[in-house]
Amino acid sequence: MKLLTSTILTAILSYALPASSRTIPITLDIVNAQGAPDGFKRSMVTANGTYPGPLLTATKGDTLVVTVHNKLTDDTMRRSTSIDFDGIFSSTSNAFNEGSSFVTTCPIAPGESYTYTVPLIDGQAGTFWYHSQLSVQYVDGLRGALIVYDPEDPQRHLYDVDDENTIWQVGDWWHNTTLPLLAGYVATGIVPVSDSGTFNGVGRYQGGPEVPFHVVNVQAGKRYRFRIINTSARNVFTMSVDSHNLTIIETDGTNTAPMTVNQLDLLAGQRHSVVLAANQPVANYWINAPFVGGSPARNLNQNATLSRGILRYKGAPNADPASPMTLGPAEAELNALVEANLRPLITSPAPEADINITLNLVVTAGKAQWNVNNVSYLSPEVPTLVKILEGANSADDFNVTENTFVLPANKIVQVIFPPSDDDEEHPFHLHGNNFWLIKSNSSEEINTANPVKRDVAGVGSTGTIVRFSTANPGPWFFHCHIFWHLQAGLATVMASGLDEVRKEVHPTSAWNKLCPAYDALPADEQ
């Protein structure tokens, strides 16, 4: 099977904006396919045979009905699967369709199918993505964009073009498959270092073939809304476009007050929409997407300078830019994003906290083990949601290694991450909800007056504080989006309103069959 590197399958999955809400049927066949995103051919885990997976689009208020057929056969990677729709809110009653393996569901066994019904609630719109939520499986390729359009976007006057061609997906890529990579991590405690980075599904590695860079076409005089998604399992990408500014108008699905920069970092799982005015002379310009994630000395294939695309004006030659490849703006010209300076489009103070939780992150030296408050998370055999439905009512009803915090409904929870000695910033992601970013790791400022809301924030050397509401009860995964660290234990579950969950959650018979089917599998098919 030839692996497509397009970000879209518009004939199948991209839809025109409707006048009213709809139910959108989508089929994802999860298959092994041969591909070479950076010129190195290998077997991959894909949705519908593409990397990235097909673009999913919807309009605010729609309902996605996503039928997943698991057709995986390659035993060098996980053969079961589970799909998470990253950043999409989940109502309490629909928690069983949230897709977090061993938290809200069991994985889909090979040869089996499951249909996720995903209503888009609370007026949610913006830039999201989907990926496997089983172990580190999405490292093997199962990831793609999910865009929810808002016909009444309050910032629509700032741009002229926002379509399937204005989505930028950056990601880390490995030449080896995940089971041997994970075995090496467990044996050494050294997180695998990627071979390359990809921009909309294509990249290059040091000494590899000169795979053509992805081209983004623009027309002089128009303004473009580019939706940038970091689909990495580890790497931080630094985005810029030679000779152009970028005006941020959205962060993780939240409209933000316009902020003009010429460079911005995205941690794994983070998203931004930026407006670029095509106001430069007609030519080709580099889109710079260098990355960091572990020491390049551990993987000599890595050359972050080769991670990039081309912004091509209409009328420019079909050629690479004449300017040299750089990592971005020179220091004297740098106007980089400082996360703490982001503000919501509509000013809104964060509510006062009712509950305070402190999470200390510690790595065990020389081992593939991370602890949160001295506990290394291990996925339970019985999913958290199943235990709640069967009567679990306190932290004592869960294994210690599930690191589950039992919280009351309708409260505001403040989570404090103290400063860390670790030299890597950890992108902590909350499922089912988002949070107010009270203190960003990028600043010492405490901001309760008008903090931005997002669902992935960095935790590192200066400390981070977030607040979230438990008005939407459920067992929601809260973990590092460096999936190697998640697999090594850097995760918790925020389980709120357990009585409300039991009253509102009524799983389907198809969901009830997932665990027995998965549990019956031999280990090499799980």
Side-chain angles (χ1 to χ4, degrees), residues 240-255:
S240 64
V241 181
D242 284 359
S243 303
H244 291 77
N245 286 324
L246 305 170
T247 300
I248 300 167
I249 61 169
E250 178 220 346
T251 296
D252 293 359
T254 296
N255 289 320

Side-chain angles (χ1 to χ4, degrees), residues 176-255:
N176 208 346
T177 55
T178 47
L179 290 186
L181 283 173
L182 191 56
Y185 177 33
V186 171
T188 65
I190 299 171
V191 180
V193 174
S194 71
D195 292 277
S196 62
T198 60
F199 181 98
N200 281 355
V202 293
R204 293 182 183 181
Y205 65 96
Q206 186 68 27
E210 293 189 352
V211 177
F213 293 113
H214 181 86
V215 174
V216 177
N217 292 295
V218 298
Q219 185 174 335
K222 291 190 175 182
R223 301 163 302 167
Y224 294 81
R225 177 177 182 163
F226 290 115
R227 297 171 181 266
I228 312 174
I229 308 169
N230 185 353
T231 68
S232 291
R234 182 179 191 183
N235 291 354
V236 181
F237 278 79
T238 300
M239 305 299 300
S240 64
V241 181
D242 284 359
S243 303
H244 291 77
N245 286 324
L246 305 170
T247 300
I248 300 167
I249 61 169
E250 178 220 346
T251 296
D252 293 359
T254 296
N255 289 320

